[in-house]
Every structure is written in C-alpha cells, then in structure tokens.
Amino acid sequence: MRRTRPLLITALIGSLLLAPAAADASAGPPDAVPGASGVGDPYLPLAGNGGYDVVHYDLDLDYTPATRQLKATARILAKATENLSRFNLDYQGPPITSVSVNGRRAPYVHEGGELVISPRSALRKRVPFLVEVSYAGSPQAIDDPALGVYGWVPTDDGAAVLSEPDGARSWYPVNDHPTDKASYSIRLTVPDGVTALASGEPLGRAVSRGGRTTSTWVSREPTASYLVTVAIGEFTVERSRTKSLLNITAIDPKVSATDGGLHQTTATVTDWAAGLFGRYPFSSIGGIVDKVGVGYALETQTRPIYDGRLPSTSLIVHEMAHQWYGNSVSPATWREIWLNEGFATYAEWLWSEQHGGDSAQARFDRIHARPDTDPLWRRPPGDPGRDDLFTGAVYSRGAMTLHALRQTIGDERFFTLLKRWAAEFRHRTASTADLLALAEKVSGKELDALFTAWLYTSGKPARP
Ligand code: ARG
Ligand code: ZN
C-alpha cells in the first residue's frame, strides 16, 4: 500500500487540477474563518499554520549554481481541518510569480515570512485542496544571531539544505512545523554534469534534456519539513543495498578524495541501532559530506548532512540515532528539543560502551564531576528557550537524564523503553510528558521527581 502512495497522490493532484469546476460549483461554507498564522509553538509562534494538514509536497526545483538562480513550483496537497476563508503558508524564499488554489489563481499577501492565500471560494472542512505556488530568484540562507546559518545555503559549487528548526520556509512554501509531517516528491533540475541529491529514494533514473539533468526523489514516510534536504554540486556518489535498505552516500571531492568509511560505517551503525531501537523507520540510509560552512551536521531524513569534513563514527551514530529519535519520533514543540539531542547523544554513549570505549557510566561520572559553578548546570535542558535550542546542556545533560533514568529503572526496562518509545510514537510527535508516562508504565515507578530534577531544575542534580 504505502509504496504506491506518491503515485496515488500524483493522480489525485491531476484530478484536482482537471476538475476545478467541481470546486467552483459551491461558493464555499458561509461560516468559514481565517486559518491561524502559527500552530502555537512556545518558541516559534509563527511556525506552522492552523486550519489544514498537508498530505504531500511535490517540489519542482530548477537550480543553476553559477548564478544561484532557482526557478520552482511547489504543489501542496492539503486537507482543511476547518472551513477556511483564507490560510497561511510559511515562506521566506525568492519572489512569488503565481499562486493558485484548486487550479484557480488566488489573491495572496506575502509579508514577514507568512504567505496568506485567499482562495476564490472558501475551503470546506475535511476536503482536500491543491495549492500551487511558483517562484523564482536567489534563495537566501537564514542567518540568525542565536541559531546560526540554516535553510537553503548556497555553496561554492551548488547549494545544501539544513533547515532545523524553521528554515524550510527559506526555499519552499510550507506548513513549517514537525506536527504536520507529509510525504514528498522532489524533482531537481541542474546543468548537466552537476550532481543533485535529496532526502528519500530516487525514483527512476536521471534524465538529461537540453543541457539539463532532472532527477526525482521520493519520501514515502511522514517527513517533518526541517528534515527535508537537497544537495547540489560536485559529489562522488556511492550506492549499495543492505538488506532492504538502499544506502546512498555523497562526498564533495574538495572535502576528501576517499569516503573514510562513511558508506560502510553508516550501514553498520544503522544495523546496530536497529538492534537497540527497533526497526529502522525509513526506506533508505546514507550521508552527504559537503563544504557548507555552517559548522554543524544535521540529521536530514535518511541522509544526514555533514559539514566540511568526513564525520567520526560517533557523529554518524548521533545523526543515524536521530532517524529514530527526532525524525520518526519528533518533538511536539521545539521546547522538547532535548528529546532529539539527549537521545542522539546517549546513543553515542551506548555505541562507545558496546564497542570497547568508555561506558555510559564513565561519561556520566566525568560530566557530573564538573563543579557546581559550571555553566552546564545553570540551564536545565527541558525548557532551554528559543535562543538556546542547541546549547550544550540540551545534549549532555539530556543524555545524563536518560542515564539517570536507566540507573533508576534498570537496564532491562530502560532498553525496553528505548524500543517502545520508538515504536509507540513512530512517525508521530511526542512530548516529555509522553516519555514520563511511558517510562512509568514500563517501570512501574514514579518518575516525575527524577524528570523534574534533571530537566527542569537549575543546579547540579544529585546522582540517582
Ligand atoms: N540537530 C543538529 C545535530 O545535533 C544540530 C542542528 C544545529 N542547528 C542550528 N541551526 N544551529 O546534529
Ligand atoms: Zn543532534
């Protein structure tokens, strides 16, 4: 069933386009209201939008590295969750050339990262609708004083996309919040000789015509907008198949002439992680190494991006662990970021422990030995604030929280919990309260004091 979904969606999009008259027939519900401009995220109030759920994004992108020009059309199949007189998309990309809803031109206002679209007739609750937005120009990365550079990042030979937390809007109109996951098809057209990759799996072979090459990538599983990636430039690509998983790695030859084991290590790490966390949640694996210049890696779905150098095994473990924790089980709000980074960091500790390195206990002890005045203890990771989403405590004290939990409930229950967390919230979003509830269920213990001390109380928590 799932394998055919993008094709069904393509057919559905086609029929919506061919039948605009059906949408015209009604003037729309009289009680229609404007959709909200955000989903109510405490850190990013304008991220995401209310009134609809996106089912599928179909992105057509034509990019020329030499001029940094993008010509694009985004087709968004969504379903209204209320009767809508108008609705918003998050968008901060190149100038828009046209907007239509169900095949009819629609008036729009584009201001301050919000694209407000007023369909000719109001949208009816539970009914699917198709939005088509065309745009052209030079996408700009977001450069945030606290979060750094993210979004669509032009590189010396192309571009790379790393959108956490809300950078997807820099390159396509989107309901930019993890609570609205969708499937994707992405068509990339670049000059012949340039390599283009995206997250997900390639659909058929690249086709060259008139000096430009087009490749298509499909993500069938639910995907959060910040995890969609595109990488364009010069790459040495390696492809193989391990069991049911396609493995695609791509390395910028200016970074390294060899792959330093990236391809094989990614496969090995994924196998190991599936043993601990349960079945891998997506259909392919891999990695992209590019000279991006942002100074961090991102766990882009199926195919993490590594910046500037070949990743260490530990970094591969971190980014692949995110495929379960972060990508499949995603944060319900950005306040829950420690659920991503604490788990991914703890996965590094587990890898080390199981491969002849330091034990998780030794790592915990080393950090716990830091003086009470260490800045690490100042900010508990459970509510770091928008500007400190990626602060050290979110990672290390987040991992320590999981270790303290393991100490408290014992190895057997802890490892059961890791699997059940991934299984019960697979392809969904979750919060710290969900984790607490599941941990209490699995262990039969009251754990709110532990969670409060480690996640929400400043100062060094006592050892468990
Ligand atoms: N999630 C990434 C990682 O832990 C870090 C992303 C940092 N993002 C940023 N805008 N600074 O691998
Ligand atoms: Zn991470």
Side-chain angles (χ1 to χ4, degrees):
M1 263 301 271
R2 202 165 68 214
R3 299 201 73 82
T4 61
R5 198 157 160 239
L7 300 177
L8 280 176
I9 285 161
T10 306
L12 191 52
I13 288 175
S15 61
L16 275 170
L17 274 177
L18 288 171
D24 283 359
S26 97
D31 61 341
V33 295
S37 60
V39 293
D41 191 283
Y43 291 178
L44 303 172
L46 289 179
N49 305 282
Y52 63 93
D53 265 319
V54 175
V55 177
H56 186 81
Y57 292 91
D58 181 82
L59 307 179
D60 226 317
L61 308 171
D62 182 303
Y63 191 66
T64 305
T67 58
R68 297 190 168 182
Q69 291 296 305
L70 175 71
K71 228 174 122 343
T73 298
R75 292 178 195 89
I76 304 167
L77 179 64
K79 209 168 171 178
T81 55
E82 32 186 2
N83 292 330
L84 286 174
S85 58
R86 59 174 163 83
F87 64 92
N88 288 28
L89 285 161
D90 302 302
Y91 184 66
Q92 207 168 8
I96 291 172
T97 51
S98 78
V99 173
S100 73
V101 177
N102 293 331
R104 297 178 76 196
R105 287 258 179 172
Y108 62 90
V109 178
H110 184 211
E111 227 172 50
E114 294 288 321
L115 172 60
V116 184
I117 300 174
S118 301
R120 297 288 186 85
S121 54
L123 302 172
R124 201 172 279 278
K125 187 173 173 170
R126 282 186 288 273
V127 174
F129 61 99
L130 179 68
V131 189
E132 189 168 312
V133 180
S134 295
Y135 48 103
S138 181
Q140 307 288 316
I142 295 166
D143 190 352
D144 183 271
L147 301 177
V149 173
Y150 62 105
W152 179 283
V153 186
T155 60
D156 55 8
D157 59 0
V161 171
L162 312 82
S163 297
E164 192 182 20
D166 60 344
R169 64 189 156 100
S170 71
W171 63 285
Y172 65 101
V174 53
N175 199 26
D176 202 2
H177 196 269
T179 45
D180 191 6
K181 298 185 185 188
S183 53
Y184 281 80
S185 43
I186 303 176
R187 244 171 336 277
L188 300 170
T189 301
V190 294
D192 285 349
V194 174
T195 299
L197 303 100
S199 28
E201 296 78 52
L203 189 71
R205 287 178 182 281
V207 177
S208 168
R209 218 171 69 195
R212 300 182 82 74
T213 303
T214 301
S215 57
T216 304
W217 298 76
V218 179
S219 297
R220 294 173 172 87
E221 293 92 7
T223 304
S225 50
Y226 76 96
L227 296 168
V228 180
T229 196
V230 165
I232 295 169
E234 202 186 330
F235 291 103
T236 307
V237 178
E238 196 175 338
R239 246 176 106 134
S240 68
R241 191 172 276 280
T242 34
K243 294 178 193 158
S244 62
L245 293 178
L246 178 64
N247 181 4
I248 300 178
T249 50
I251 295 172
D252 183 338
K254 283 194 288 310
V255 171
S256 174
T258 75
D259 94 329
L262 171 68
H263 193 84
Q264 183 49 50
T265 305
T266 299
T268 306
V269 161
T270 307
D271 269 355
W272 167 82
L276 271 184
F277 309 149
R279 187 159 68 93
Y280 181 72
F282 307 112
S283 301
S284 65
I285 59 172
I288 297 165
V289 184
D290 197 6
K291 277 177 67 177
V292 195
V294 293
Y296 59 86
L298 187 67
E299 61 269 23
T300 39
Q301 197 147 299
T302 66
R303 203 154 295 115
I305 293 211
Y306 304 100
D307 184 16
R309 58 168 171 229
L310 294 174
S312 64
T313 298
S314 187
L315 187 55
I316 296 171
V317 169
H318 182 105
E319 305 308 343
M320 292 316 287
H322 271 310
Q323 305 303 317
W324 284 260
Y325 307 118
N327 298 13
S328 169
V329 184
S330 304
T333 75
W334 286 105
R335 182 163 56 202
E336 317 288 335
I337 183 71
W338 87 274
L339 291 171
N340 287 18
E341 302 308 344
F343 274 78
T345 304
Y346 200 65
E348 296 176 58
W349 296 13
L350 290 173
W351 172 274
S352 161
E353 175 169 292
Q354 297 182 11
H355 293 84
D358 285 346
S359 64
Q361 186 65 49
R363 297 224 186 189
F364 177 96
D365 290 344
R366 207 179 315 129
I367 303 176
H368 200 267
R370 292 194 203 168
D372 292 355
T373 51
D374 193 285
L376 184 66
W377 310 123
R378 218 176 302 150
R379 276 214 159 244
D383 187 3
R386 186 262 182 210
D387 288 353
D388 283 315
L389 270 180
F390 305 111
T391 197
V394 167
Y395 291 72
S396 53
R397 197 168 150 176
M400 291 176 87
T401 302
L402 292 174
H403 191 69
L405 179 61
R406 177 179 169 191
Q407 292 298 90
T408 305
I409 68 176
D411 274 16
E412 200 183 319
R413 284 167 174 161
F414 178 76
F415 287 107
T416 299
L417 175 64
L418 287 186
K419 279 204 169 105
R420 284 194 51 186
W421 180 239
E424 290 189 17
F425 293 92
R426 182 180 169 93
H427 296 321
R428 295 168 57 196
T429 57
S431 67
T432 305
D434 294 321
L435 181 66
L436 173 59
L438 186 63
E440 291 191 336
K441 191 157 110 189
V442 166
S443 68
K445 289 196 167 166
E446 286 242 9
L447 297 164
D448 44 327
L450 181 142
F451 273 61
T452 302
W454 280 92
L455 295 172
Y456 301 113
T457 313
S458 60
K460 192 203 289 199
R463 298 170 155 284

